[in-house]
Amino acid sequence: MGKTAEKAGFLGFSIDVWMYLLLGLGAVLTTVDLVLAFLFAPLVLGAGAGGTAVINGVAVSNQLLLSQKIFFFHVPVAISSFLVILFAAYYSIRFLMTRDKGFDIKARVATEVTLMLVVLTLITGDLWTRYEWDAWWVWEPRLTTYFILTLLVAGYFVLRNSVEDEERRAVYAAVFCIIAAVDAPISFMITRLVPTKMHPVVLRSGGGLTGIQLLAFLLGMFGMLMIAWVVFKLRERQEFASERIEALKAARES
Amino acid sequence: METSGGLGISLEVCGLSRVFGARRALDGVSFTLPEGAFLSIFGPNGAGKTTLLRVLSTLAPPSSGTATVLGKDVLEDASKLREHIGLISHNPLLYPDLSAEENLQFFADIYCLDCPQERIRELLSAVELDHRCLDIVRTFSRGMLQRLSIARALLHSPEMLFLDEPYSGLDPHAVDILDALLARIRKRHTFVMVSHDLEKGLELCSHALILAKGKVVLFEERNRIDVGEFKGLYRQTVGMGVS
Amino acid sequence: MELRTKEMLTSMGLYALLVLLVYHLAFSQVDSYDVTPIGAGLLWLAIVFTSLLGLNRSLVHEKDQGCLEALLLSPIDRPVIFFGKAAGNLLFLLIVEVIIVPLFHFLFLQNIEMSGAVWMLALALFVGSLGIAGVGTLLATMSVNTKGKDFILAVLFVPVMFPLLYAMVAALSAVITGEVLFPGEWVGEYWRALGLGAGYDAIMLLIAFGLYEFIIGA
């Protein structure tokens, strides 16, 4: 159960070395991303910020031009969270196919990482909406979707905690994880596509990032993914270790 | 299929395991049971008795190893096998809001029986419930529920019957009826019973199996078993399970 | 494939009535209130609460006496069990809707000229109920085997159903107030919302159908 993977290395380095390497690299990249974003990246013009816009009855001033810097951190986190839950769903499917507890552990750990990222996304996003829309919370498709995603991920852990039988818990969690991973994009689509005239739907097309912006964004993206991967790996290793202790205990008893 | 001969094999279990993570509910269980036998499975709590029964009755898949019931693999031929097995558990497996007759009617429909009415009447009188056949099941006593549940399990004339603690919670009268019923159908069926009740289990069985920690401690024909020794061994395994 | 008692319909119907009463409570401090703009949302809310109750009870019954196990032992295919359960729940939900929707109209929307025809309303209710029954059956089968049955069901059910409810509130809203709020375009928006809801139904039912076997086998 995972033993072969732990021994295996990549390009001559063991996984351990890679883990710390990537953790460091990820940290450096995200830092560089922030530095670039604040010091070098030009402000995104256009994209609704060219003049003042009326959002939620409030005229948005130029302060949003600076506040948008948070996107260089926020968007990588958001995208990573989504990628990680896809991994969780993948491990869940593998678990249902093989009934190997190792995949259950992987799926659970990946969902934990998702929870971390989703909460980070909500916090950073919220900071931004506070400035841009002058409100802590707006029921905008993206926010709504993340709110739902948070509830789904929280529901995953609530479900886990309320099932006593270990195998049943793993099966239920896997099924729910798959449902959650499918539900999240649907929820994003539907909140966007369903006609509502009540709320302003703020659509922002990518609108072409310039060289240095793109660089900062990509650095942040890769940095975040590296950090997410290392956190995943560390937690996974911890869980596998405790699993092995259990197995050894059981073996000693009989 | 070996069911034609008198000495065919009804149950063949080979290296059966059910593992999840570090927990081994069943660990390499192997035995064979001839047709028409009555197997009693004993063991302490958590020994894997119920898991074994669930695997044999196609409710849970094995992790490794094979189990062949009535010549059919529990994984490959599960749905065909289900037509030939019945389960009597301590849970009645009946709809409480339906009458006795409606319950049997419902299950008769599911099993696609040919002339259900006749069969239902026959079974209801066999379990001495014909006078209450229109009453709602919820109003039944524990013993009556259990009798009806036996009728339900026999509805489709299964060749193999699984019994999961069928005597638990029964009053003496209900025990007598169950005994009489089992004695009557004994010849035509193969039985596998899980029980805590050593006396009862030994009295009924033709084969006995002791399970502890998912492993077979003993599998023997009844007439080769010395009761005193057997009880000693059983106590020993129960003690082992507790520690 | 399944017979059930009147008891369940009565409790679901009564529960729906209570929800309507609570709605009135919420508006009780306003002289003459007009719930038209949020009518669709309120109606779906009543349906969601009632269906939570119904879904939970439909499976608790089975679980207590082990009927589900009896079904699993029988030679019927597992997918058929899913369809049977989901169809049963759908039927219950539709019957309850037949009672509460006219009642809701009578109590809260009496003076409103509905924009859409009754069949449009019925179609939207059906698309919504289909998803609720299908996904709800799967989630309820899980939640009956957990420690906090009804709580767990609500925690899992509401976020998963959110996209469908969102679309269905929009569709129903178009039927009820379309002419007033989006004159001219409401028919198109109704169909768009309905289409999205149906898409959700198709995807989620397929997934629920595929995963049900794992749930009942566990």
Side-chain angles (χ1 to χ4, degrees), chain A residues 161-184:
Chain A
N161 285 333
S162 66
V163 186
E164 266 162 50
D165 182 80
E166 235 183 309
E167 187 170 0
R168 180 178 280 173
R169 176 195 307 155
V171 172
Y172 284 10
V175 166
F176 190 69
C177 183
I178 296 168
I179 292 180
V182 175
D183 197 59

PDB file of all heavy atoms in Angstrom, chain A residues 161-184:
ATOM      1  N   ASN A 161     -17.263  11.708   9.519  1.00  0.00           N
ATOM      2  CA  ASN A 161     -17.286  11.577  10.970  1.00  0.00           C
ATOM      3  C   ASN A 161     -18.514  10.863  11.494  1.00  0.00           C
ATOM      4  O   ASN A 161     -18.526  10.434  12.636  1.00  0.00           O
ATOM      5  CB  ASN A 161     -17.214  12.967  11.616  1.00  0.00           C
ATOM      6  CG  ASN A 161     -15.821  13.515  11.524  1.00  0.00           C
ATOM      7  OD1 ASN A 161     -14.864  12.752  11.457  1.00  0.00           O
ATOM      8  ND2 ASN A 161     -15.700  14.824  11.494  1.00  0.00           N
ATOM      9  N   SER A 162     -19.539  10.764  10.669  1.00  0.00           N
ATOM     10  CA  SER A 162     -20.773  10.207  11.220  1.00  0.00           C
ATOM     11  C   SER A 162     -20.997   8.756  10.802  1.00  0.00           C
ATOM     12  O   SER A 162     -22.030   8.185  11.097  1.00  0.00           O
ATOM     13  CB  SER A 162     -21.962  11.058  10.793  1.00  0.00           C
ATOM     14  OG  SER A 162     -22.116  10.969   9.410  1.00  0.00           O
ATOM     15  N   VAL A 163     -20.050   8.172  10.093  1.00  0.00           N
ATOM     16  CA  VAL A 163     -20.187   6.759   9.736  1.00  0.00           C
ATOM     17  C   VAL A 163     -19.203   5.955  10.577  1.00  0.00           C
ATOM     18  O   VAL A 163     -18.021   6.290  10.615  1.00  0.00           O
ATOM     19  CB  VAL A 163     -19.912   6.518   8.236  1.00  0.00           C
ATOM     20  CG1 VAL A 163     -20.200   5.074   7.884  1.00  0.00           C
ATOM     21  CG2 VAL A 163     -20.746   7.435   7.396  1.00  0.00           C
ATOM     22  N   GLU A 164     -19.705   4.927  11.232  1.00  0.00           N
ATOM     23  CA  GLU A 164     -18.820   4.208  12.128  1.00  0.00           C
ATOM     24  C   GLU A 164     -17.990   3.135  11.435  1.00  0.00           C
ATOM     25  O   GLU A 164     -16.794   3.049  11.639  1.00  0.00           O
ATOM     26  CB  GLU A 164     -19.628   3.594  13.264  1.00  0.00           C
ATOM     27  CG  GLU A 164     -19.635   4.527  14.475  1.00  0.00           C
ATOM     28  CD  GLU A 164     -20.745   4.191  15.418  1.00  0.00           C
ATOM     29  OE1 GLU A 164     -20.856   3.005  15.756  1.00  0.00           O
ATOM     30  OE2 GLU A 164     -21.489   5.102  15.811  1.00  0.00           O
ATOM     31  N   ASP A 165     -18.644   2.333  10.618  1.00  0.00           N
ATOM     32  CA  ASP A 165     -17.915   1.258   9.961  1.00  0.00           C
ATOM     33  C   ASP A 165     -16.892   1.840   8.996  1.00  0.00           C
ATOM     34  O   ASP A 165     -17.211   2.685   8.160  1.00  0.00           O
ATOM     35  CB  ASP A 165     -18.894   0.364   9.198  1.00  0.00           C
ATOM     36  CG  ASP A 165     -18.185  -0.790   8.545  1.00  0.00           C
ATOM     37  OD1 ASP A 165     -17.907  -1.763   9.249  1.00  0.00           O
ATOM     38  OD2 ASP A 165     -17.888  -0.704   7.330  1.00  0.00           O
ATOM     39  N   GLU A 166     -15.660   1.377   9.126  1.00  0.00           N
ATOM     40  CA  GLU A 166     -14.565   1.996   8.388  1.00  0.00           C
ATOM     41  C   GLU A 166     -14.724   1.897   6.876  1.00  0.00           C
ATOM     42  O   GLU A 166     -14.520   2.851   6.147  1.00  0.00           O
ATOM     43  CB  GLU A 166     -13.265   1.316   8.795  1.00  0.00           C
ATOM     44  CG  GLU A 166     -12.220   2.277   9.281  1.00  0.00           C
ATOM     45  CD  GLU A 166     -10.939   1.532   9.586  1.00  0.00           C
ATOM     46  OE1 GLU A 166     -10.993   0.531  10.323  1.00  0.00           O
ATOM     47  OE2 GLU A 166      -9.904   1.933   9.066  1.00  0.00           O
ATOM     48  N   GLU A 167     -15.098   0.707   6.424  1.00  0.00           N
ATOM     49  CA  GLU A 167     -15.187   0.534   4.975  1.00  0.00           C
ATOM     50  C   GLU A 167     -16.370   1.306   4.406  1.00  0.00           C
ATOM     51  O   GLU A 167     -16.272   1.950   3.365  1.00  0.00           O
ATOM     52  CB  GLU A 167     -15.308  -0.950   4.627  1.00  0.00           C
ATOM     53  CG  GLU A 167     -15.225  -1.163   3.129  1.00  0.00           C
ATOM     54  CD  GLU A 167     -15.093  -2.618   2.752  1.00  0.00           C
ATOM     55  OE1 GLU A 167     -15.061  -3.458   3.667  1.00  0.00           O
ATOM     56  OE2 GLU A 167     -15.028  -2.900   1.553  1.00  0.00           O
ATOM     57  N   ARG A 168     -17.480   1.247   5.134  1.00  0.00           N
ATOM     58  CA  ARG A 168     -18.653   1.982   4.686  1.00  0.00           C
ATOM     59  C   ARG A 168     -18.344   3.477   4.623  1.00  0.00           C
ATOM     60  O   ARG A 168     -18.721   4.165   3.679  1.00  0.00           O
ATOM     61  CB  ARG A 168     -19.797   1.711   5.650  1.00  0.00           C
ATOM     62  CG  ARG A 168     -21.061   2.409   5.286  1.00  0.00           C
ATOM     63  CD  ARG A 168     -22.161   2.068   6.243  1.00  0.00           C
ATOM     64  NE  ARG A 168     -22.756   0.774   5.942  1.00  0.00           N
ATOM     65  CZ  ARG A 168     -23.653   0.193   6.729  1.00  0.00           C
ATOM     66  NH1 ARG A 168     -24.018   0.761   7.841  1.00  0.00           N
ATOM     67  NH2 ARG A 168     -24.169  -0.966   6.390  1.00  0.00           N
ATOM     68  N   ARG A 169     -17.628   3.962   5.636  1.00  0.00           N
ATOM     69  CA  ARG A 169     -17.256   5.369   5.657  1.00  0.00           C
ATOM     70  C   ARG A 169     -16.468   5.728   4.407  1.00  0.00           C
ATOM     71  O   ARG A 169     -16.747   6.722   3.737  1.00  0.00           O
ATOM     72  CB  ARG A 169     -16.403   5.644   6.894  1.00  0.00           C
ATOM     73  CG  ARG A 169     -15.892   7.059   6.966  1.00  0.00           C
ATOM     74  CD  ARG A 169     -14.770   7.192   7.976  1.00  0.00           C
ATOM     75  NE  ARG A 169     -15.156   6.667   9.266  1.00  0.00           N
ATOM     76  CZ  ARG A 169     -14.289   6.220  10.172  1.00  0.00           C
ATOM     77  NH1 ARG A 169     -13.004   6.237   9.911  1.00  0.00           N
ATOM     78  NH2 ARG A 169     -14.711   5.735  11.309  1.00  0.00           N
ATOM     79  N   ALA A 170     -15.526   4.862   4.063  1.00  0.00           N
ATOM     80  CA  ALA A 170     -14.690   5.135   2.901  1.00  0.00           C
ATOM     81  C   ALA A 170     -15.520   5.154   1.616  1.00  0.00           C
ATOM     82  O   ALA A 170     -15.344   6.018   0.760  1.00  0.00           O
ATOM     83  CB  ALA A 170     -13.582   4.095   2.806  1.00  0.00           C
ATOM     84  N   VAL A 171     -16.458   4.207   1.491  1.00  0.00           N
ATOM     85  CA  VAL A 171     -17.275   4.137   0.280  1.00  0.00           C
ATOM     86  C   VAL A 171     -18.168   5.361   0.178  1.00  0.00           C
ATOM     87  O   VAL A 171     -18.235   6.014  -0.875  1.00  0.00           O
ATOM     88  CB  VAL A 171     -18.143   2.854   0.286  1.00  0.00           C
ATOM     89  CG1 VAL A 171     -19.132   2.886  -0.860  1.00  0.00           C
ATOM     90  CG2 VAL A 171     -17.276   1.623   0.192  1.00  0.00           C
ATOM     91  N   TYR A 172     -18.835   5.713   1.267  1.00  0.00           N
ATOM     92  CA  TYR A 172     -19.729   6.874   1.249  1.00  0.00           C
ATOM     93  C   TYR A 172     -18.946   8.133   0.895  1.00  0.00           C
ATOM     94  O   TYR A 172     -19.385   8.946   0.076  1.00  0.00           O
ATOM     95  CB  TYR A 172     -20.396   7.057   2.611  1.00  0.00           C
ATOM     96  CG  TYR A 172     -21.503   6.080   2.894  1.00  0.00           C
ATOM     97  CD1 TYR A 172     -21.726   4.992   2.063  1.00  0.00           C
ATOM     98  CD2 TYR A 172     -22.334   6.242   3.992  1.00  0.00           C
ATOM     99  CE1 TYR A 172     -22.734   4.096   2.322  1.00  0.00           C
ATOM    100  CE2 TYR A 172     -23.354   5.347   4.257  1.00  0.00           C
ATOM    101  CZ  TYR A 172     -23.545   4.278   3.430  1.00  0.00           C
ATOM    102  OH  TYR A 172     -24.542   3.398   3.695  1.00  0.00           O
ATOM    103  N   ALA A 173     -17.788   8.286   1.554  1.00  0.00           N
ATOM    104  CA  ALA A 173     -16.989   9.484   1.320  1.00  0.00           C
ATOM    105  C   ALA A 173     -16.577   9.548  -0.150  1.00  0.00           C
ATOM    106  O   ALA A 173     -16.636  10.607  -0.772  1.00  0.00           O
ATOM    107  CB  ALA A 173     -15.771   9.483   2.219  1.00  0.00           C
ATOM    108  N   ALA A 174     -16.182   8.413  -0.715  1.00  0.00           N
ATOM    109  CA  ALA A 174     -15.755   8.399  -2.113  1.00  0.00           C
ATOM    110  C   ALA A 174     -16.904   8.810  -3.019  1.00  0.00           C
ATOM    111  O   ALA A 174     -16.740   9.633  -3.927  1.00  0.00           O
ATOM    112  CB  ALA A 174     -15.242   7.014  -2.491  1.00  0.00           C
ATOM    113  N   VAL A 175     -18.085   8.260  -2.767  1.00  0.00           N
ATOM    114  CA  VAL A 175     -19.241   8.591  -3.601  1.00  0.00           C
ATOM    115  C   VAL A 175     -19.547  10.087  -3.490  1.00  0.00           C
ATOM    116  O   VAL A 175     -19.757  10.769  -4.493  1.00  0.00           O
ATOM    117  CB  VAL A 175     -20.472   7.761  -3.168  1.00  0.00           C
ATOM    118  CG1 VAL A 175     -21.739   8.328  -3.773  1.00  0.00           C
ATOM    119  CG2 VAL A 175     -20.293   6.311  -3.572  1.00  0.00           C
ATOM    120  N   PHE A 176     -19.519  10.594  -2.273  1.00  0.00           N
ATOM    121  CA  PHE A 176     -19.852  12.001  -2.105  1.00  0.00           C
ATOM    122  C   PHE A 176     -18.802  12.906  -2.736  1.00  0.00           C
ATOM    123  O   PHE A 176     -19.124  13.947  -3.301  1.00  0.00           O
ATOM    124  CB  PHE A 176     -20.044  12.343  -0.625  1.00  0.00           C
ATOM    125  CG  PHE A 176     -20.608  13.714  -0.436  1.00  0.00           C
ATOM    126  CD1 PHE A 176     -21.910  13.988  -0.815  1.00  0.00           C
ATOM    127  CD2 PHE A 176     -19.845  14.734   0.078  1.00  0.00           C
ATOM    128  CE1 PHE A 176     -22.444  15.244  -0.669  1.00  0.00           C
ATOM    129  CE2 PHE A 176     -20.369  16.004   0.232  1.00  0.00           C
ATOM    130  CZ  PHE A 176     -21.671  16.260  -0.141  1.00  0.00           C
ATOM    131  N   CYS A 177     -17.557  12.491  -2.646  1.00  0.00           N
ATOM    132  CA  CYS A 177     -16.489  13.285  -3.242  1.00  0.00           C
ATOM    133  C   CYS A 177     -16.688  13.399  -4.753  1.00  0.00           C
ATOM    134  O   CYS A 177     -16.519  14.472  -5.329  1.00  0.00           O
ATOM    135  CB  CYS A 177     -15.141  12.635  -2.931  1.00  0.00           C
ATOM    136  SG  CYS A 177     -13.757  13.562  -3.542  1.00  0.00           S
ATOM    137  N   ILE A 178     -17.062  12.293  -5.389  1.00  0.00           N
ATOM    138  CA  ILE A 178     -17.291  12.328  -6.831  1.00  0.00           C
ATOM    139  C   ILE A 178     -18.453  13.267  -7.142  1.00  0.00           C
ATOM    140  O   ILE A 178     -18.382  14.108  -8.046  1.00  0.00           O
ATOM    141  CB  ILE A 178     -17.575  10.911  -7.362  1.00  0.00           C
ATOM    142  CG1 ILE A 178     -16.343  10.026  -7.163  1.00  0.00           C
ATOM    143  CG2 ILE A 178     -17.963  10.957  -8.834  1.00  0.00           C
ATOM    144  CD1 ILE A 178     -16.604   8.559  -7.370  1.00  0.00           C
ATOM    145  N   ILE A 179     -19.525  13.147  -6.375  1.00  0.00           N
ATOM    146  CA  ILE A 179     -20.679  14.019  -6.591  1.00  0.00           C
ATOM    147  C   ILE A 179     -20.278  15.480  -6.425  1.00  0.00           C
ATOM    148  O   ILE A 179     -20.639  16.335  -7.236  1.00  0.00           O
ATOM    149  CB  ILE A 179     -21.809  13.662  -5.608  1.00  0.00           C
ATOM    150  CG1 ILE A 179     -22.375  12.290  -5.957  1.00  0.00           C
ATOM    151  CG2 ILE A 179     -22.911  14.697  -5.663  1.00  0.00           C
ATOM    152  CD1 ILE A 179     -23.482  11.839  -5.054  1.00  0.00           C
ATOM    153  N   ALA A 180     -19.496  15.754  -5.383  1.00  0.00           N
ATOM    154  CA  ALA A 180     -19.094  17.137  -5.131  1.00  0.00           C
ATOM    155  C   ALA A 180     -18.264  17.680  -6.285  1.00  0.00           C
ATOM    156  O   ALA A 180     -18.466  18.813  -6.733  1.00  0.00           O
ATOM    157  CB  ALA A 180     -18.308  17.223  -3.826  1.00  0.00           C
ATOM    158  N   ALA A 181     -17.339  16.861  -6.782  1.00  0.00           N
ATOM    159  CA  ALA A 181     -16.471  17.330  -7.858  1.00  0.00           C
ATOM    160  C   ALA A 181     -17.267  17.590  -9.134  1.00  0.00           C
ATOM    161  O   ALA A 181     -16.902  18.445  -9.931  1.00  0.00           O
ATOM    162  CB  ALA A 181     -15.355  16.317  -8.123  1.00  0.00           C
ATOM    163  N   VAL A 182     -18.355  16.854  -9.340  1.00  0.00           N
ATOM    164  CA  VAL A 182     -19.181  17.098 -10.520  1.00  0.00           C
ATOM    165  C   VAL A 182     -20.098  18.287 -10.279  1.00  0.00           C
ATOM    166  O   VAL A 182     -20.370  19.083 -11.179  1.00  0.00           O
ATOM    167  CB  VAL A 182     -20.013  15.835 -10.851  1.00  0.00           C
ATOM    168  CG1 VAL A 182     -20.958  16.112 -12.004  1.00  0.00           C
ATOM    169  CG2 VAL A 182     -19.098  14.680 -11.198  1.00  0.00           C
ATOM    170  N   ASP A 183     -20.557  18.395  -9.044  1.00  0.00           N
ATOM    171  CA  ASP A 183     -21.529  19.430  -8.723  1.00  0.00           C
ATOM    172  C   ASP A 183     -20.922  20.833  -8.811  1.00  0.00           C
ATOM    173  O   ASP A 183     -21.588  21.770  -9.253  1.00  0.00           O
ATOM    174  CB  ASP A 183     -22.068  19.184  -7.315  1.00  0.00           C
ATOM    175  CG  ASP A 183     -23.356  19.943  -7.060  1.00  0.00           C
ATOM    176  OD1 ASP A 183     -24.312  19.700  -7.809  1.00  0.00           O
ATOM    177  OD2 ASP A 183     -23.374  20.773  -6.142  1.00  0.00           O
ATOM    178  N   ALA A 184     -19.655  20.968  -8.401  1.00  0.00           N
ATOM    179  CA  ALA A 184     -19.047  22.293  -8.350  1.00  0.00           C
ATOM    180  C   ALA A 184     -19.041  23.004  -9.708  1.00  0.00           C
ATOM    181  O   ALA A 184     -19.524  24.138  -9.803  1.00  0.00           O
ATOM    182  CB  ALA A 184     -17.646  22.204  -7.768  1.00  0.00           C
TER     183      ALA A 184
END
